[in-house]
Amino acid sequence: MSVGIVSPREGLIASVLARLTPKGKDYSGQWVVFPERRPGYYLRKALAKREGSAFLSPRIDSMDAFVDRVYRERLGRRDKSIDALDAAALLFEIHRDAPGRLGGGHFLTADQFFPLGTRLFRDLEEMAAGSVSGEALSRSDGWSDESVPEAARRRLQSLSLFYERFYEILAGRGYSTPGSRLRDVAAALEPGVFADIDRIILAGFFPIAGGEAAILTAMAAWPNVDLLFQAGTGVGEALDRIGISDPGLIAEAMKVEAAPPEAVIEFVESPDAHGQVFALNAAMAPDLADPAGLDEHSVIVLPAAETLFPLHQQTLAALPAEAYNISIGYPLARTPISGFFDRLLELVQSADEEGRVYAPHYLRFLLHPYTKNIYLNGRADLTRVLIHAVEDELIARRTRAFWSLEELPNDAGIRAAVAERSRGVESAPDPAAFMAHLASIDAALIAPFRSIRDVREFASKLRAALTFVYDHSTARRHVFFHPYAEAFMDRLEALGRSLLGPTVFEDQASYFNLFRKVIAAGSVPFEGTPLRGLQVLGFWETRGLPFRQVAILDFNEDVLPASQRVDSLLPFAARRALGLPTYRDVERRVEYYLDTLRRGAERVRIFYVKSKDREPSRFVEKLIWERQKSLREPRASKLVRKVRYQVALQTPPLLPAAKSPEAASFLRTFVYSATALDTYLRCPLQFHRRYVLGLREREELGEEMEAKDIGSFVHSILEEYFGRFVGRRLRAAALDAAAMEALIDRRFAESFGPDLSGGLYLMKRQTRAHLLEFLTGYQKPILDGLEAAGKDLRIPSQDRICDFVVPSPGEARAWGPVFRRGLSSDRQVRPARAARRRPFRPGLQDFGPDDLSRDRF
Amino acid sequence: MAGAALTRFLEAVKGFEGRGRNDLREFLEFTGEEGKDAWTIDVPETIDAVKVMTIHKAKGLGFPVVILLLYGQQWQAPDFYLDAGEGSEGGVDGEEPSGVQVLKINKGLAEADENLKRVYDEARRRDQVNNLNTLYVALTRAESELYIVGVKGPRGKFPFDLLGGEYRSSPNLPPIRRPDREAAGERAPLRRLAGFFDAAADPRQSLNEESRRRGEFAHRILAEIEYVAAGWPAEAAAAASRIDPRFRAGASPEADEDSAGLVDAISAFFGQAPAAGFFEPRPGRRVLRETTFCDAAGRSVRMDRVVVDPDAVHVIDFKTGREPGLGDREQVLGYIGIVKDVFPGRPVYGILAYIDRAVWEPVE
């Protein structure tokens, strides 16, 4: 055995390189294991440089790959490898049959259980990898000195049941997991397993409690094994953890650790992510101007994947593709494919009992860029024409909320709208072809999800939908669509094949929930190969790599270290007692790798966001403090450069809008609605833009009815109700509340379907309550009073314009000496004096004649 | 350089994209309704202007001069009261949570019932404590001068009842030292690269999911076979059975039926000369399967099968699919160059083995 402490400046790769001895150009007798895959690319590049020719590569693995390879190739174990999806299914099986279920009455379906199952699996895997015994777990009542709360103790009892049952089932059914493989490999390791290997080098690890440490401990004593560690914060303790306590070695580690890092270090504080990127651009300006000079010894570290795209758009996209590598896992849920499926499943889920889909969701799905750019005759523009015609028509018929997929492509109104929209479009097909295209989109993407047999079929349908979009739309021309699509296909394929595959849900929504949770746990693996140029890496991907120039973005608390810490069902005390890594261990590891990264570099630029909800990482604070001490600078702010934007706080004064003759002429004949008056009172400029200039937002088909839609809808009910009284005497006895209720029921059912939910349900209740109150509490007393006084009330018509005049007191203002406008009235009743006009305006305050003050105009 | 508004806009886009959205119309909705905060631009700390903020925002901050506006407050009874009771605990421990009660209480009801009174009084006390805490924060932000402007209505007594009599300003105020501009730190230079850049999309016309998986499965089967002893059909079937089901040919179990077709195709193709000869054991022969070689630049390539004999080396590359690839020959020629470096002095031959087309194509 040889254990070496490597100075980060010297570099791990160089140190490994020096230990590799080939037979000619053949390194296949050497086996190198790093914590990650990426150092392997650096090592091969270094070997090529040394050889000056091609060569047969040594085996180079990450620790996970090493374990798998030993398990299969060396131990000959050929069982089926299962992942978190399968594990969630197995654990759910155990959960269902368990006497005292975790969570009591919760987590009763597989989709509800899935997030718990994946957390549980992580814990079980850690315990398996760390070879924790079931007895140790169930002996939790023996930890009297540990502050484990009672509830957590009971949870541990449940965990011990899961732990034992789960790995029993695995063994019984011929399955293995990463944790079980690590445990088995650690137990079976002996030099004979590697008889054909000349040398094994394990390099760059920072052992904390758990399975990895078990491997290192087991192999540390072998004669043909080298263990190489980089000097850095806490490495002495880490060595101790795997039983290496050579005083000379520890002293060497301490010596490097005590020496001040040589790197120039800069701190940049920014109010947001883009500020960091712009500051990075400025700092790297010479490199960005000469991309050929960028090499793999420069790195931009992204501990938060969310900054990848700002960086890509604002920095990397300016470089040729061969000038950089991206190696990071990007969350699937952040990709636009996830958004597309959200829209699709939202639509499917909106279907009522008759299978009719909710119009706003249908439209949202059609308007998604992937859907509206599906090719028709090889052209995406034609589909956009079609879909905007559908939009026009559905908005025009907005009170109709539910449509069946069969009637939409056969609707005469949509067909007419398509004909209208496509008129003049070059080489447009006839409306029938457009409508057939709409039907084909429905058939390919929506209809398959109306019935789902089981999870396997569901996953297969999702894959088919994605393949359809890939093959038939412009989506594949979007940047990164291909890797996103591949990652989705892999994830969905894994879901379909997993032990969850045969699961049948009663409720369709459960499939969709499961999908969302499965996607939330997945990521797109940007591999970043072949190795070239500037490196853009996640934090953990930097381990063991030699960088001269380092820039770390988002160096914030909750990012480094991550806020989730160890997302475990096991409390801290239990983890410690069981010998599992705690959040403190994880933080030590973060600190160690940060330290080695800094010690290896010539320049380190640290960027962090400081805003109302983000703070710099504790490690940044520590680094600043160290810097303050070394420079004897009491003010931390002197060491931090800040991103500041130009902000003009002065609001320019609102200039009066001079009226053109056309505007004045328009206003003279303009008929004011209550809404127009309201708009003017709120903001004259808005009134000018909306009514005089005629600018208005495009109407949308929203999920919630807008105030004006509610108003129109209610008005139409009142119109129908009072329509039968027009020209006749209106008597109090004729105001029939039951007829009004029946009318409301009928109109809602016609427009929104029989089963209302959410906002529509509440709206119906509100409408019923208000209209009945209007009828019985307001109209009826008036009629009673009139009848008592021997007077009649008649409705001559339901919609009429009346004029009124407001005289001006001499002084001419912008609006002229006489204000003469028309007001549209909901209905006219006689005698007018007996019943003051009261517009029915839900959601809008009444206003009286006083509000029409001339001065306010 | 970037102004605050452009950066704010880019941040809004980032937040929107982070939800997996890429629809312009939805972006307008998002920023118009859900994301009104997206347009909030924080005024830089160092700007030379009076800062206007709520007492809550001022927590932890200090200023040379503070002008504090206080409005008389009175107890505003909440719309409803939450009562969690005592000792309730729920969650994942197998016990049902006792729940939270939502109560609608007024003073009269509180007087009539001891439990309701407890809830009512508790809420009121909490409100008083909060008010006092807030007032404490407000009164302790000033470093040199504090001006309190009070707006006292007929009913709202707090905090004037607490502050007591009238306050007058001190006649001899010391001059206020302006904050040290340098202490704010140096400004970081910023650079926004001109223009927007088009990143090239992947030119592939199809995901080719099935054929990709089929190819991968074929390679895994062949990687399992060093030499064929028991005859090709048996060896190929046994090799296929050893492969983890995750890597089977089809993207679904239904499509696994294709595995049989692939095993048959492999057996038929490799069972005949000249392919069969490269799966036979021979003296001095060494077979490298799925082995990583590196070129002189350190780029790694994984070669499907390299048969190293004492007198020659053969590099065999397996291909599936009905059509030959455009770069197949160049790929194998590259391999030959690499292998020549590794085994100098021995002739190296390349072979393209098209399994589905049953074509054995030497490459020279």
Short mmCIF file of all heavy atoms in Angstrom, two decimals, chain A residues 26 54-55 57 78 81 103 154 274 278 281 306 334 339 343 391 476 490 497 635 637 641-642 644-645, chain B residues 7 11 14 17 25-26 46 92 95 180 183 185-188 191 205 224 244 250 256 292 294 341:
data_model
loop_
_atom_site.label_atom_id
_atom_site.label_comp_id
_atom_site.label_asym_id
_atom_site.label_seq_id
_atom_site.Cartn_x
_atom_site.Cartn_y
_atom_site.Cartn_z
N ASP A 26 0.36 0.02 -23.58
CA ASP A 26 -0.80 -0.67 -23.02
C ASP A 26 -0.91 -0.40 -21.51
O ASP A 26 -0.10 -0.88 -20.72
CB ASP A 26 -0.66 -2.17 -23.30
CG ASP A 26 -1.87 -2.96 -22.83
OD1 ASP A 26 -2.75 -2.35 -22.18
OD2 ASP A 26 -1.92 -4.17 -23.09
N ALA A 54 -1.12 7.42 -29.67
CA ALA A 54 -2.30 6.74 -29.14
C ALA A 54 -1.87 5.66 -28.13
O ALA A 54 -0.69 5.26 -28.11
CB ALA A 54 -3.08 6.09 -30.27
N PHE A 55 -2.79 5.20 -27.33
CA PHE A 55 -2.45 4.17 -26.33
C PHE A 55 -3.72 3.45 -25.90
O PHE A 55 -4.85 3.95 -26.13
CB PHE A 55 -1.76 4.81 -25.12
CG PHE A 55 -2.60 5.86 -24.44
CD1 PHE A 55 -3.40 5.54 -23.36
CD2 PHE A 55 -2.58 7.18 -24.89
CE1 PHE A 55 -4.18 6.51 -22.74
CE2 PHE A 55 -3.36 8.15 -24.27
CZ PHE A 55 -4.16 7.82 -23.21
N SER A 57 -6.06 2.57 -23.11
CA SER A 57 -6.32 3.32 -21.87
C SER A 57 -6.31 2.42 -20.63
O SER A 57 -6.71 1.25 -20.70
CB SER A 57 -7.68 3.99 -21.98
OG SER A 57 -8.03 4.58 -20.76
N ARG A 78 -25.05 -11.25 -11.68
CA ARG A 78 -25.80 -10.84 -12.86
C ARG A 78 -27.25 -10.53 -12.55
O ARG A 78 -28.13 -10.77 -13.36
CB ARG A 78 -25.73 -11.94 -13.91
CG ARG A 78 -24.36 -12.16 -14.46
CD ARG A 78 -23.96 -10.96 -15.31
NE ARG A 78 -22.65 -11.15 -15.91
CZ ARG A 78 -22.26 -10.53 -17.01
NH1 ARG A 78 -23.07 -9.70 -17.63
NH2 ARG A 78 -21.06 -10.72 -17.48
N SER A 81 -30.52 -4.93 -12.01
CA SER A 81 -30.25 -3.71 -11.26
C SER A 81 -31.52 -2.88 -11.21
O SER A 81 -32.13 -2.61 -12.25
CB SER A 81 -29.14 -2.96 -12.00
OG SER A 81 -29.09 -1.66 -11.56
N GLY A 103 -47.06 7.30 8.21
CA GLY A 103 -48.00 8.31 7.74
C GLY A 103 -49.45 7.95 7.96
O GLY A 103 -50.34 8.65 7.48
N ARG A 154 -40.36 5.90 16.85
CA ARG A 154 -41.39 5.03 16.24
C ARG A 154 -41.14 4.93 14.74
O ARG A 154 -41.31 3.89 14.13
CB ARG A 154 -42.78 5.60 16.52
CG ARG A 154 -43.24 5.37 17.95
CD ARG A 154 -44.75 5.50 18.06
NE ARG A 154 -45.23 6.80 17.63
CZ ARG A 154 -45.26 7.88 18.41
NH1 ARG A 154 -44.83 7.81 19.65
NH2 ARG A 154 -45.71 9.02 17.96
N HIS A 274 -28.15 37.49 -13.34
CA HIS A 274 -27.58 38.09 -14.55
C HIS A 274 -26.46 39.07 -14.22
O HIS A 274 -25.51 39.20 -15.01
CB HIS A 274 -28.67 38.78 -15.37
CG HIS A 274 -29.45 37.81 -16.20
ND1 HIS A 274 -30.53 37.11 -15.68
CD2 HIS A 274 -29.31 37.38 -17.48
CE1 HIS A 274 -31.00 36.32 -16.62
NE2 HIS A 274 -30.29 36.45 -17.72
N PHE A 278 -22.88 39.17 -16.06
CA PHE A 278 -22.29 40.35 -16.70
C PHE A 278 -20.94 40.70 -16.07
O PHE A 278 -20.01 41.13 -16.75
CB PHE A 278 -23.24 41.54 -16.60
CG PHE A 278 -24.53 41.34 -17.37
CD1 PHE A 278 -25.72 41.85 -16.89
CD2 PHE A 278 -24.54 40.63 -18.56
CE1 PHE A 278 -26.90 41.66 -17.58
CE2 PHE A 278 -25.73 40.43 -19.26
CZ PHE A 278 -26.92 40.95 -18.76
N ASN A 281 -18.48 38.26 -17.40
CA ASN A 281 -18.08 38.63 -18.77
C ASN A 281 -16.99 39.70 -18.74
O ASN A 281 -16.03 39.64 -19.51
CB ASN A 281 -19.27 39.18 -19.55
CG ASN A 281 -20.25 38.10 -19.96
OD1 ASN A 281 -19.94 36.92 -19.83
ND2 ASN A 281 -21.41 38.50 -20.43
N GLU A 306 -29.76 26.52 -12.17
CA GLU A 306 -30.65 27.52 -12.77
C GLU A 306 -29.89 28.64 -13.48
O GLU A 306 -30.47 29.35 -14.30
CB GLU A 306 -31.55 28.12 -11.69
CG GLU A 306 -30.77 28.87 -10.63
CD GLU A 306 -31.67 29.45 -9.55
OE1 GLU A 306 -32.41 28.67 -8.95
OE2 GLU A 306 -31.62 30.67 -9.35
N ARG A 334 -37.34 21.76 -15.35
CA ARG A 334 -37.11 23.12 -15.84
C ARG A 334 -37.13 23.20 -17.37
O ARG A 334 -37.01 24.27 -17.92
CB ARG A 334 -35.75 23.64 -15.35
CG ARG A 334 -35.65 23.82 -13.84
CD ARG A 334 -34.30 24.39 -13.47
NE ARG A 334 -34.14 25.76 -13.92
CZ ARG A 334 -34.42 26.83 -13.20
NH1 ARG A 334 -34.88 26.70 -11.99
NH2 ARG A 334 -34.26 28.03 -13.69
N GLY A 339 -42.96 21.57 -19.54
CA GLY A 339 -44.08 22.51 -19.69
C GLY A 339 -45.09 22.00 -20.70
O GLY A 339 -46.30 22.14 -20.51
N ARG A 343 -49.08 21.07 -19.97
CA ARG A 343 -50.24 21.60 -20.69
C ARG A 343 -51.12 20.46 -21.20
O ARG A 343 -52.33 20.52 -21.13
CB ARG A 343 -49.75 22.43 -21.89
CG ARG A 343 -49.15 23.74 -21.52
CD ARG A 343 -50.26 24.71 -21.10
NE ARG A 343 -49.71 25.77 -20.28
CZ ARG A 343 -49.73 25.80 -18.96
NH1 ARG A 343 -50.31 24.83 -18.28
NH2 ARG A 343 -49.21 26.81 -18.29
N GLU A 391 -58.73 29.77 -31.74
CA GLU A 391 -58.72 30.71 -30.61
C GLU A 391 -59.77 31.80 -30.80
O GLU A 391 -60.55 32.10 -29.89
CB GLU A 391 -57.32 31.34 -30.50
CG GLU A 391 -57.19 32.28 -29.32
CD GLU A 391 -55.87 33.03 -29.33
OE1 GLU A 391 -55.23 33.14 -30.39
OE2 GLU A 391 -55.48 33.54 -28.26
N ARG A 476 -37.74 20.36 -32.63
CA ARG A 476 -36.36 19.86 -32.64
C ARG A 476 -35.38 20.94 -33.08
O ARG A 476 -34.17 20.76 -32.99
CB ARG A 476 -36.23 18.62 -33.50
CG ARG A 476 -36.49 18.83 -34.97
CD ARG A 476 -36.08 17.60 -35.76
NE ARG A 476 -36.36 17.77 -37.16
CZ ARG A 476 -37.48 17.43 -37.75
NH1 ARG A 476 -38.45 16.90 -37.02
NH2 ARG A 476 -37.67 17.62 -39.04
N ASP A 490 -35.58 8.50 -21.91
CA ASP A 490 -34.93 7.55 -21.00
C ASP A 490 -35.72 7.43 -19.69
O ASP A 490 -35.92 6.34 -19.16
CB ASP A 490 -33.50 8.01 -20.69
CG ASP A 490 -32.58 7.77 -21.87
OD1 ASP A 490 -32.98 7.05 -22.80
OD2 ASP A 490 -31.46 8.32 -21.88
N ARG A 497 -40.67 0.50 -17.71
CA ARG A 497 -40.04 -0.79 -17.43
C ARG A 497 -39.97 -1.10 -15.93
O ARG A 497 -39.72 -2.21 -15.54
CB ARG A 497 -38.61 -0.79 -17.93
CG ARG A 497 -38.48 -1.01 -19.37
CD ARG A 497 -37.02 -1.08 -19.75
NE ARG A 497 -36.91 -1.41 -21.15
CZ ARG A 497 -37.01 -2.64 -21.63
NH1 ARG A 497 -37.16 -3.65 -20.81
NH2 ARG A 497 -36.93 -2.86 -22.92
N ARG A 635 -12.77 46.58 7.11
CA ARG A 635 -14.04 46.72 6.40
C ARG A 635 -14.15 45.66 5.29
O ARG A 635 -13.43 45.71 4.29
CB ARG A 635 -14.17 48.11 5.79
CG ARG A 635 -14.37 49.19 6.84
CD ARG A 635 -14.32 50.54 6.24
NE ARG A 635 -13.00 50.83 5.66
CZ ARG A 635 -12.66 51.98 5.11
NH1 ARG A 635 -13.54 52.98 5.08
NH2 ARG A 635 -11.48 52.17 4.61
N SER A 637 -16.38 45.37 3.20
CA SER A 637 -16.88 45.95 1.95
C SER A 637 -15.75 46.40 1.03
O SER A 637 -15.94 46.52 -0.18
CB SER A 637 -17.81 47.12 2.26
OG SER A 637 -17.11 48.09 3.00
N ARG A 641 -16.37 43.65 -4.59
CA ARG A 641 -16.85 44.55 -5.64
C ARG A 641 -18.33 44.28 -5.86
O ARG A 641 -18.77 43.12 -5.80
CB ARG A 641 -16.06 44.34 -6.92
CG ARG A 641 -14.69 44.96 -6.77
CD ARG A 641 -14.03 45.18 -8.10
NE ARG A 641 -13.58 43.90 -8.63
CZ ARG A 641 -13.02 43.78 -9.83
NH1 ARG A 641 -12.87 44.82 -10.60
NH2 ARG A 641 -12.61 42.61 -10.24
N LYS A 642 -19.07 45.35 -6.09
CA LYS A 642 -20.52 45.17 -6.16
C LYS A 642 -21.05 45.51 -7.55
O LYS A 642 -20.61 46.47 -8.17
CB LYS A 642 -21.21 46.06 -5.13
CG LYS A 642 -20.86 45.67 -3.71
CD LYS A 642 -21.72 46.37 -2.71
CE LYS A 642 -21.37 45.87 -1.31
NZ LYS A 642 -22.20 46.45 -0.28
N ARG A 644 -23.71 47.13 -9.61
CA ARG A 644 -24.75 48.15 -9.44
C ARG A 644 -25.27 48.56 -10.81
O ARG A 644 -24.48 48.77 -11.73
CB ARG A 644 -24.19 49.39 -8.75
CG ARG A 644 -23.85 49.16 -7.31
CD ARG A 644 -23.26 50.41 -6.70
NE ARG A 644 -22.21 50.04 -5.76
CZ ARG A 644 -21.12 50.73 -5.52
NH1 ARG A 644 -20.91 51.86 -6.18
NH2 ARG A 644 -20.23 50.32 -4.65
N TYR A 645 -26.54 48.66 -10.90
CA TYR A 645 -27.14 49.08 -12.17
C TYR A 645 -27.46 50.56 -12.11
O TYR A 645 -27.60 51.14 -11.04
CB TYR A 645 -28.43 48.31 -12.44
CG TYR A 645 -28.25 46.82 -12.44
CD1 TYR A 645 -28.97 46.02 -11.57
CD2 TYR A 645 -27.35 46.22 -13.29
CE1 TYR A 645 -28.80 44.65 -11.56
CE2 TYR A 645 -27.17 44.84 -13.30
CZ TYR A 645 -27.91 44.07 -12.42
OH TYR A 645 -27.74 42.72 -12.41
N THR B 7 -31.89 44.02 -17.08
CA THR B 7 -31.50 42.89 -16.24
C THR B 7 -32.72 42.29 -15.54
O THR B 7 -32.86 41.08 -15.42
CB THR B 7 -30.46 43.34 -15.20
OG1 THR B 7 -29.46 44.08 -15.87
CG2 THR B 7 -29.83 42.16 -14.51
N GLU B 11 -34.06 38.54 -15.78
CA GLU B 11 -34.33 37.74 -14.58
C GLU B 11 -35.75 37.16 -14.62
O GLU B 11 -35.99 36.04 -14.21
CB GLU B 11 -34.16 38.59 -13.32
CG GLU B 11 -32.73 38.89 -12.97
CD GLU B 11 -31.98 37.67 -12.44
OE1 GLU B 11 -32.45 37.03 -11.50
OE2 GLU B 11 -30.92 37.35 -13.00
N LYS B 14 -35.73 34.30 -16.87
CA LYS B 14 -35.10 33.15 -16.19
C LYS B 14 -36.09 32.46 -15.25
O LYS B 14 -36.21 31.24 -15.25
CB LYS B 14 -33.88 33.65 -15.41
CG LYS B 14 -33.26 32.64 -14.48
CD LYS B 14 -32.02 33.21 -13.84
CE LYS B 14 -31.55 32.36 -12.69
NZ LYS B 14 -32.10 32.73 -11.40
N GLU B 17 -38.68 30.61 -17.42
CA GLU B 17 -38.14 29.41 -18.05
C GLU B 17 -37.91 28.31 -17.03
O GLU B 17 -38.02 27.13 -17.33
CB GLU B 17 -36.84 29.71 -18.78
CG GLU B 17 -37.06 30.45 -20.09
CD GLU B 17 -35.77 30.69 -20.85
OE1 GLU B 17 -34.70 30.73 -20.24
OE2 GLU B 17 -35.86 30.87 -22.06
N ARG B 25 -46.86 34.03 -24.86
CA ARG B 25 -48.13 34.49 -24.30
C ARG B 25 -48.20 34.18 -22.79
O ARG B 25 -48.64 35.00 -22.00
CB ARG B 25 -49.27 33.77 -25.02
CG ARG B 25 -50.63 34.29 -24.64
CD ARG B 25 -51.66 33.48 -25.36
NE ARG B 25 -51.51 33.62 -26.80
CZ ARG B 25 -52.52 33.96 -27.61
NH1 ARG B 25 -53.69 34.22 -27.12
NH2 ARG B 25 -52.32 34.02 -28.90
N GLU B 26 -47.74 33.00 -22.45
CA GLU B 26 -47.74 32.66 -21.02
C GLU B 26 -46.78 33.55 -20.26
O GLU B 26 -46.99 33.84 -19.09
CB GLU B 26 -47.34 31.20 -20.83
CG GLU B 26 -48.48 30.26 -21.04
CD GLU B 26 -48.15 28.88 -20.51
OE1 GLU B 26 -47.68 28.77 -19.38
OE2 GLU B 26 -48.35 27.92 -21.27
N THR B 46 -26.48 51.82 -2.53
CA THR B 46 -25.56 52.96 -2.46
C THR B 46 -26.09 54.20 -3.14
O THR B 46 -25.42 55.21 -3.16
CB THR B 46 -24.25 52.56 -3.14
OG1 THR B 46 -24.58 51.99 -4.40
CG2 THR B 46 -23.48 51.57 -2.31
N VAL B 92 -45.98 11.79 9.60
CA VAL B 92 -45.72 10.46 9.03
C VAL B 92 -45.56 9.38 10.09
O VAL B 92 -45.05 8.33 9.82
CB VAL B 92 -44.46 10.50 8.14
CG1 VAL B 92 -44.70 11.34 6.92
CG2 VAL B 92 -43.28 11.00 8.93
N GLU B 95 -49.89 8.52 13.27
CA GLU B 95 -50.97 9.05 14.09
C GLU B 95 -51.65 10.18 13.35
O GLU B 95 -51.01 10.96 12.65
CB GLU B 95 -50.43 9.52 15.43
CG GLU B 95 -49.30 10.52 15.29
CD GLU B 95 -48.59 10.79 16.59
OE1 GLU B 95 -48.58 9.93 17.46
OE2 GLU B 95 -48.08 11.91 16.72
N ASP B 180 -19.97 56.94 4.57
CA ASP B 180 -18.70 56.82 3.85
C ASP B 180 -18.96 56.12 2.52
O ASP B 180 -19.30 54.94 2.48
CB ASP B 180 -17.75 55.97 4.73
CG ASP B 180 -16.41 55.80 4.05
OD1 ASP B 180 -16.26 56.30 2.92
OD2 ASP B 180 -15.54 55.18 4.68
N ALA B 183 -16.98 53.00 1.77
CA ALA B 183 -17.28 51.77 2.51
C ALA B 183 -18.25 50.89 1.74
O ALA B 183 -18.41 49.72 2.01
CB ALA B 183 -17.86 52.11 3.87
N GLY B 185 -17.90 49.84 -1.10
CA GLY B 185 -17.18 48.89 -1.93
C GLY B 185 -17.07 49.37 -3.37
O GLY B 185 -17.85 50.18 -3.84
N GLU B 186 -16.09 48.78 -4.03
CA GLU B 186 -15.83 49.17 -5.41
C GLU B 186 -16.92 48.61 -6.32
O GLU B 186 -17.48 47.55 -6.05
CB GLU B 186 -14.48 48.56 -5.79
CG GLU B 186 -13.88 49.09 -7.05
CD GLU B 186 -12.62 48.31 -7.40
OE1 GLU B 186 -11.99 47.77 -6.45
OE2 GLU B 186 -12.30 48.23 -8.58
N ARG B 187 -17.18 49.33 -7.37
CA ARG B 187 -18.20 48.88 -8.30
C ARG B 187 -17.60 47.83 -9.26
O ARG B 187 -16.51 48.02 -9.77
CB ARG B 187 -18.68 50.09 -9.08
CG ARG B 187 -19.89 49.85 -9.90
CD ARG B 187 -20.38 51.17 -10.45
NE ARG B 187 -21.58 50.95 -11.21
CZ ARG B 187 -22.52 51.86 -11.37
NH1 ARG B 187 -22.37 53.04 -10.81
NH2 ARG B 187 -23.57 51.61 -12.08
N ALA B 188 -18.33 46.74 -9.46
CA ALA B 188 -17.81 45.70 -10.36
C ALA B 188 -18.10 46.11 -11.79
O ALA B 188 -19.22 46.49 -12.10
CB ALA B 188 -18.49 44.37 -10.05
N ARG B 191 -20.29 43.66 -18.25
CA ARG B 191 -20.21 43.61 -19.70
C ARG B 191 -21.29 42.69 -20.23
O ARG B 191 -21.40 41.54 -19.82
CB ARG B 191 -18.83 43.08 -20.11
CG ARG B 191 -18.62 43.04 -21.59
CD ARG B 191 -17.15 42.98 -21.92
NE ARG B 191 -16.98 42.96 -23.35
CZ ARG B 191 -16.57 41.90 -24.04
NH1 ARG B 191 -16.28 40.78 -23.42
NH2 ARG B 191 -16.46 41.95 -25.35
N GLN B 205 -32.87 14.40 -37.44
CA GLN B 205 -34.27 14.52 -37.84
C GLN B 205 -35.19 13.66 -36.98
O GLN B 205 -36.40 13.85 -36.99
CB GLN B 205 -34.43 14.09 -39.30
CG GLN B 205 -33.76 15.05 -40.27
CD GLN B 205 -34.41 16.42 -40.27
OE1 GLN B 205 -35.62 16.52 -40.47
NE2 GLN B 205 -33.64 17.46 -40.02
N GLU B 224 -20.50 -9.57 -24.50
CA GLU B 224 -20.51 -10.70 -23.56
C GLU B 224 -19.72 -11.90 -24.09
O GLU B 224 -19.37 -12.80 -23.34
CB GLU B 224 -21.97 -11.15 -23.32
CG GLU B 224 -22.80 -10.19 -22.49
CD GLU B 224 -22.45 -10.29 -21.02
OE1 GLU B 224 -22.22 -11.41 -20.53
OE2 GLU B 224 -22.38 -9.24 -20.36
N ASP B 244 -28.81 -6.96 -18.42
CA ASP B 244 -29.80 -6.32 -17.58
C ASP B 244 -30.99 -5.90 -18.44
O ASP B 244 -30.80 -5.30 -19.49
CB ASP B 244 -29.14 -5.08 -16.93
CG ASP B 244 -29.94 -4.57 -15.77
OD1 ASP B 244 -31.16 -4.39 -15.94
OD2 ASP B 244 -29.35 -4.34 -14.70
N GLY B 250 -36.00 -3.18 -27.02
CA GLY B 250 -37.16 -2.32 -27.17
C GLY B 250 -37.23 -1.30 -26.05
O GLY B 250 -36.65 -1.47 -24.99
N ASP B 256 -39.61 -6.01 -26.44
CA ASP B 256 -38.52 -6.94 -26.16
C ASP B 256 -38.56 -8.17 -27.05
O ASP B 256 -37.59 -8.88 -27.21
CB ASP B 256 -38.57 -7.41 -24.70
CG ASP B 256 -37.93 -6.38 -23.80
OD1 ASP B 256 -37.32 -5.43 -24.35
OD2 ASP B 256 -38.04 -6.52 -22.59
N THR B 292 -11.55 0.80 -24.14
CA THR B 292 -11.27 2.21 -24.40
C THR B 292 -9.82 2.39 -24.84
O THR B 292 -8.89 2.02 -24.12
CB THR B 292 -11.54 3.05 -23.15
OG1 THR B 292 -12.89 2.83 -22.74
CG2 THR B 292 -11.32 4.53 -23.42
N CYS B 294 -7.20 5.49 -26.61
CA CYS B 294 -7.13 6.95 -26.74
C CYS B 294 -6.26 7.31 -27.93
O CYS B 294 -5.26 6.62 -28.21
CB CYS B 294 -6.52 7.57 -25.50
SG CYS B 294 -7.56 7.39 -24.06
N ASP B 341 -0.63 2.46 -33.35
CA ASP B 341 0.27 3.04 -32.34
C ASP B 341 0.46 2.10 -31.15
O ASP B 341 1.53 2.00 -30.57
CB ASP B 341 -0.32 4.36 -31.80
CG ASP B 341 0.06 5.55 -32.68
OD1 ASP B 341 0.85 5.35 -33.62
OD2 ASP B 341 -0.44 6.66 -32.40
#
